[in-house]
């Protein structure tokens, strides 16, 4: 606790993130029959909005991949493991351009997983 600014900043980020998550979960729990359909459980009923989903997916990709896989790759293979950082940035940008069309198609046809989409196509 030698740096109170860092502690305050980290605490603020955690509290704001928790408040956003709790606020986002509230409408789903109030609706009748929430959680009874696979789509409601797997995709939060698709009612959370693209902004929140973008933040969740981005946080998952960057946290899991960049902080777990990249250091492991670098420690085992050396500097060649750093290819993963620009790869992540490029693939995320491409994904956020192409995946909205996939999501719209999945929503129109009632697909929940990628396997559902592939089976129909």
């Amino acid at each position: 606790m030698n740096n109170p600014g860092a502690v305050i900043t980290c605490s603020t980020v955690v509290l704001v993130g928790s408040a956003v998550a709790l606020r986002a979960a509230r409408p789903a729990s109030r609706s009748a029959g929430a959680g009874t359909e696979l789509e409601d459980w797997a995709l939060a009923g698709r009612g959370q909005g693209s902004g929140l989903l973008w933040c969740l997916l981005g946080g998952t990709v960057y946290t899991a991949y960049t902080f777990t896989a990249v250091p492991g790759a670098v420690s085992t293979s050396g500097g060649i493991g750093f290819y993963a950082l620009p790869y992540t940035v490029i693939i995320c940008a491409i994904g956020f351009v192409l995946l909205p069309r996939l999501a719209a198609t999945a929503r129109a046809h009632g697909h929940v997983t990628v396997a559902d989409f592939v089976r129909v196509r």
Side-chain angles (χ1 to χ4, degrees):
M1 294 271 235
N2 293 335
N3 192 349
V7 171
I8 291 170
T9 302
C10 183
S11 299
T12 302
V13 168
V14 168
L15 289 174
V16 168
S18 298
V20 168
L22 290 172
R23 175 73 176 113
R26 187 171 301 215
S29 65
R30 285 186 185 168
S31 65
T36 57
E37 301 280 334
L38 179 62
E39 183 177 314
D40 290 339
W41 179 82
L43 304 171
R46 294 187 171 136
Q48 300 303 325
S50 58
L52 181 62
L53 292 177
W54 183 84
C55 290
L56 290 173
L57 288 173
T60 301
V61 167
Y62 282 112
T63 301
Y65 188 69
T66 308
F67 295 130
T68 304
V70 171
V74 170
S75 92
T76 58
S77 66
I80 194 71
F82 281 114
Y83 81 91
L85 297 176
Y87 169 80
T88 304
V89 172
I90 291 168
I91 291 302
C92 261
I94 291 171
F96 284 121
V97 168
L98 298 178
L99 288 179
R101 171 126 177 152
L102 175 67
T105 304
R107 179 178 291 136
H109 297 290
H111 304 309
V112 176
T113 65
V114 176
D116 295 338
F117 180 80
V118 170
R119 186 180 323 121
V120 171
R121 295 292 174 197

